[in-house]
């Protein structure tokens, strides 16, 4: 690597990215290309000889950017946000620059130790119980995604129960979650070999705002125990993907504990809000949890990927995931003096991701991060108010964080058309390229989701988005 060539190229890249952010509103938010669009625009094989960076930039402009959905656009309101920030970007850059592979402490002591420290900082900010801190038996680790986080704790919980019951009990062990739980839990069960018929996705209803009912959980557990099955894992969610439902952690955790189950809390999206004292109540009861996860790459200004996972008993993870081949042996590991994060995750290799989170916490500070969250929630409240003022629409579930679930009411209360009408509205809105929103289905009804959370979004973007929605709704209703 030639340092001067790097300097020249990297400066060009920074300029390119800075200009991208400056002009991001000029692009259609949702990419409007058709499947396979890129195939005919690029050669069939890699070049034999080097090409210039300028030529590549030209291709990025002409061929790549049209196929990009602009997650960082201020007019992006789909799924959940995936924040970038200057701090996150700088951390990512430094991580790419150092390009270490920090699987064991010895492979870069700073990578392991900074990760432990930064996750302790974040745990304290979230007021997680002390057992999640690295000073005791627990600690935090950065996973790539919430899906990996739930998989590793499920494996730890599975092995813990199988050590007690014997390996042949695999077909008897049961996982519980609500039907609003992210499909990552189902995927984790598939990978962990949990029998598909032993994965209980318990029904939720609008009367509990789609939160898991402790009574329904108790009934399911009692039924399973009566037929000789063994409950071993419960996943609760704070801020479900469809509608930000919040499961009652305290009650659920107590049930899990009294049945000897591992209790995991998935706060992938809403966990970030809990750094504000007024939203911390939504994770009350986390004291009962064995593990807790939030995605700093969603709503915490940390560029993808950075999913923070804490466990109370790190030994359980290590017992499931550690290997100790000769070629990785070293004095510090053998003497048990250090954390080797390779034993807390699926892959061996791992990036220096804590740099991003460290940069975010230091360059912004807690007060700014709290303001950032509050501002998005205020913008969502603003949007909710606009929807409520238009009698053609309804807000479907009470808004808690920065997601508004709403729908266009079918004319003459004809529910037969309601789902198609809202699907048509979604398609019409997203094909304008002006904004991008997504959908879900709750109690059989097709619902539109408006998630505020892109770092550049201001009130004027939310107001303009509502105008796009109203105009498209008027056009659609006019055609009926
Ligand atoms: N859990 C919840 C509540 C989510 O909303 C999501 C994604 O939106 C996930 C888990 C999965 O996240 P990841 O892509 O980090 O696996």
């Amino acid at each position: 690597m030639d340092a001067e060539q790097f300097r020249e190229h990297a400066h060009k890249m920074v300029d390119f990215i800075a200009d991208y952010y400056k002009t991001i509103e000029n692009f259609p938010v949702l990419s409007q290309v058709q499947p396979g669009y890129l195939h005919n625009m690029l050669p069939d094989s890699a070049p034999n000889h080097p090409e210039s960076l300028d030529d590549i930039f030209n291709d990025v402009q002409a061929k790549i950017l049209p196929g990009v959905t602009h997650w960082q656009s201020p007019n992006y309101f789909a799924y959940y946000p995936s924040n970038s920030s200057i701090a996150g970007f700088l951390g990512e850059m430094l991580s790419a620059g150092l390009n270490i592979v920090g699987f064991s402490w010895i492979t870069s002591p700073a990578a392991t130790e900074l990760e432990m420290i930064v996750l302790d900082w974040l745990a304290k900010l979230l007021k997680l119980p002390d057992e999640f801190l690295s000073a005791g038996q627990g600690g935090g680790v950065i996973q790539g995604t919430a899906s990996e986080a739930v998989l590793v704790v499920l494996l730890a919980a599975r092995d813990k129960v199988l050590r007690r019951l014997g390996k042949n009990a695999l077909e008897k062990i049961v996982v519980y979650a609500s039907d609003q739980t992210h499909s990552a839990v189902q995927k984790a069960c598939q990978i962990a070999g949990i029998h598909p018929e032993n994965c209980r996705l318990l029904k939720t209803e609008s009367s509990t705002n789609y939160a898991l009912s402790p009574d329904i959980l108790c009934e399911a557990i009692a039924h399973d125990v009566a037929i000789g099955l063994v409950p071993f894992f419960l996943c609760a969610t704070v801020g479900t993907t469809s509608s930000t439902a919040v499961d009652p952690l305290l009650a659920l955790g107590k049930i899990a504990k009294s049945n000897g189950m591992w209790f995991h809390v998935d706060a992938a999206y809403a966990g970030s809000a809990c750094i504000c004292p007024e939203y911390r109540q939504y994770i009350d009861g986390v004291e009962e949890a064995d593990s807790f996860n939030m995605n700093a790459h969603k709503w915490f200004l940390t560029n993808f990927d950075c999913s923070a996972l804490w466990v109370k008993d790190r030994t359980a993870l290590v017992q499931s995931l550690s290997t100790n081949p000769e070629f990785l042996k070293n004095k510090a590991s053998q003497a048990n003096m250090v954390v080797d994060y390779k034993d807390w995750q699926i892959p061996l290799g791992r990036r220096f991701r804590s740099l991003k989170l460290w940069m975010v916490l230091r360059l912004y500070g807690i007060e700014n991060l709290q303001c950032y969250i509050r501002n998005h929630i205020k913008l969502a409240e603003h949007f909710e108010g606009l929807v409520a003022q238009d009698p053609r629409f309804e807000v479907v579930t009470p808004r808690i964080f920065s997601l508004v679930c709403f729908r266009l009411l079918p004319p003459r209360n004809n529910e037969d058309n309601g789902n198609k009408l809202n699907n048509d509205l979604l398609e019409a809105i997203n094909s304008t390229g002006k904004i991008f929103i997504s959908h879900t289905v709750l109690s059989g009804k097709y619902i539109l989701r408006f998630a505020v959370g892109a770092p550049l979004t201001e009130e004027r973007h939310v107001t303009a988005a509502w105008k796009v929605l109203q105009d498209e709704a008027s056009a659609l209703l006019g055609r009926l």
Side-chain angles (χ1 to χ4, degrees):
M1 181 149 170
D2 177 319
E4 290 316 313
Q5 192 186 21
F6 170 71
R7 199 186 306 281
E8 187 197 323
H9 283 186
H11 282 164
K12 279 189 188 169
M13 183 59 85
V14 168
D15 284 343
F16 183 86
I17 295 169
D19 289 340
Y20 167 70
Y21 276 93
K22 234 177 172 171
T23 56
I24 197 165
E25 289 188 55
N26 299 341
F27 298 98
V29 188
L30 175 66
S31 168
Q32 305 287 311
V33 301
Q34 295 303 312
Y37 87 100
L38 197 52
H39 187 259
N40 292 331
M41 297 176 100
L42 293 180
D44 282 344
S45 54
N48 277 328
H49 302 291
E51 299 185 52
S52 75
L53 184 61
D54 287 340
D55 283 349
I56 297 171
F57 273 135
N58 289 339
D59 275 356
V60 172
Q61 284 286 11
K63 299 168 186 171
I64 302 298
L65 287 184
V68 169
T69 290
H70 300 276
W71 285 66
Q72 304 312 317
S73 164
N75 298 312
Y76 179 97
F77 303 104
Y79 311 114
Y80 277 136
S82 179
N83 285 180
S84 72
S85 67
I86 295 174
F89 177 78
L90 295 177
E92 187 73 70
M93 213 170 158
L94 185 55
S95 168
L98 300 176
N99 201 35
I100 60 107
V101 185
F103 46 81
S104 301
W105 176 86
I106 195 175
T107 61
S108 264
T112 298
E113 296 195 13
L114 186 66
E115 189 159 327
M116 293 169 74
I117 290 167
V118 171
L119 287 190
D120 279 350
W121 284 8
L122 192 51
K124 287 177 192 165
L125 188 48
L126 289 163
K127 299 200 171 13
L128 296 184
D130 285 351
E131 293 115 297
F132 284 120
L133 301 179
S134 63
Q137 304 302 308
V141 56
I142 299 177
Q143 303 282 333
T145 59
S147 305
E148 290 160 74
V150 73
L151 173 60
V152 296
V153 296
L154 184 76
L155 293 173
R158 179 200 66 182
D159 293 350
K160 198 170 164 186
V161 71
L162 292 184
R163 274 195 295 279
R164 184 159 55 81
L165 302 178
K167 289 234 169 349
N168 291 339
L170 183 61
E171 63 188 24
K172 288 191 174 169
I173 62 175
V174 188
V175 170
Y176 303 81
S178 88
D179 59 2
Q180 298 299 308
T181 305
H182 194 276
S183 54
V185 171
Q186 220 170 332
K187 189 184 262 196
C189 287
Q190 284 166 225
I191 298 171
I194 306 303
H195 285 219
E197 62 276 17
N198 290 353
C199 189
R200 308 256 174 281
L201 298 181
L202 303 171
K203 195 163 161 27
T204 58
E205 289 173 356
S206 60
S207 60
T208 57
N209 288 327
Y210 300 98
L212 176 57
S213 144
D215 290 344
I216 288 180
L217 174 67
C218 278
E219 270 171 40
I221 290 176
H223 174 264
D224 287 334
V225 171
I227 58 172
L229 298 178
V230 182
F232 86 102
F233 189 87
L234 169 66
C235 177
T237 308
V238 175
T240 57
T241 313
S242 277
S243 67
T244 66
V246 176
D247 290 337
L249 300 190
L250 188 60
L252 296 176
K254 290 212 179 296
I255 297 166
K257 205 173 237 171
S258 65
N259 286 279
M261 300 160 71
W262 185 292
F263 181 38
H264 177 65
V265 176
D266 172 0
Y269 153 75
S272 298
C274 301
I275 65 162
C276 300
E278 67 274 32
Y279 295 106
R280 171 59 178 75
Q281 55 173 305
Y282 293 106
I283 55 167
D284 282 356
V286 68
E287 297 69 27
E288 304 295 328
D290 295 285
S291 48
F292 177 84
N293 171 232
M294 75 89 129
N295 277 354
H297 62 239
K298 273 190 161 58
W299 196 15
F300 205 69
L301 291 169
T302 311
N303 292 37
F304 188 81
D305 55 351
C306 186
S307 182
L309 169 70
W310 292 268
V311 291
K312 280 187 183 162
D313 173 15
R314 61 185 184 233
T315 311
L317 269 189
V318 173
Q319 280 180 317
S320 276
L321 300 172
S322 113
T323 54
N324 193 19
E326 186 56 40
F327 52 83
L328 296 181
K329 285 186 179 155
N330 64 84
K331 246 197 256 162
S333 299
Q334 298 303 103
N336 244 335
M337 291 160 62
V338 293
V339 161
D340 287 332
Y341 274 130
K342 71 179 175 57
D343 298 336
W344 299 43
Q345 61 171 24
I346 305 294
L348 175 73
R350 61 198 322 274
R351 305 172 61 226
F352 200 163
R353 284 181 290 221
S354 57
L355 285 171
K356 291 187 277 193
L357 201 46
W358 191 49
M359 289 270 190
V360 166
L361 288 164
R362 291 190 65 187
L363 277 177
Y364 300 138
I366 295 170
E367 281 180 15
N368 273 325
L369 290 165
Q370 290 170 333
C371 286
Y372 175 74
I373 296 284
R374 287 182 183 125
N375 181 47
H376 282 150
I377 295 177
K378 208 173 92 212
L379 293 179
E381 213 176 320
H382 170 60
F383 182 80
E384 185 187 31
L386 294 171
V387 178
Q389 279 165 31
D390 188 331
R392 299 174 303 170
F393 287 85
E394 72 168 347
V395 174
V396 178
T397 53
R399 183 200 47 75
I400 306 176
F401 304 104
S402 70
L403 172 73
V404 181
C405 290
F406 68 108
R407 68 177 193 137
L408 183 58
L409 290 164
R412 294 171 294 283
N413 288 331
N414 182 359
E415 280 299 341
D416 290 349
N417 295 336
N419 287 358
K420 178 168 181 328
L421 181 70
N422 279 284
N423 176 251
D424 288 350
L425 180 57
L426 181 90
E427 297 286 335
I429 290 159
N430 288 341
S431 63
T432 65
K434 292 178 187 164
I435 63 171
F436 179 28
I437 63 170
S438 59
H439 81 282
T440 190
V441 171
L442 290 170
S443 301
K445 286 184 182 157
Y446 193 98
I447 310 290
L448 304 178
R449 296 171 73 267
F450 188 89
V452 181
L456 295 171
T457 303
E458 297 171 19
E459 187 174 312
R460 66 189 168 92
H461 298 107
V462 173
T463 308
W466 174 239
K467 178 89 176 48
V468 173
L469 269 149
Q470 281 188 309
D471 289 351
E472 292 300 327
S474 298
L476 203 57
L477 293 172
R479 284 198 293 273
L480 287 182

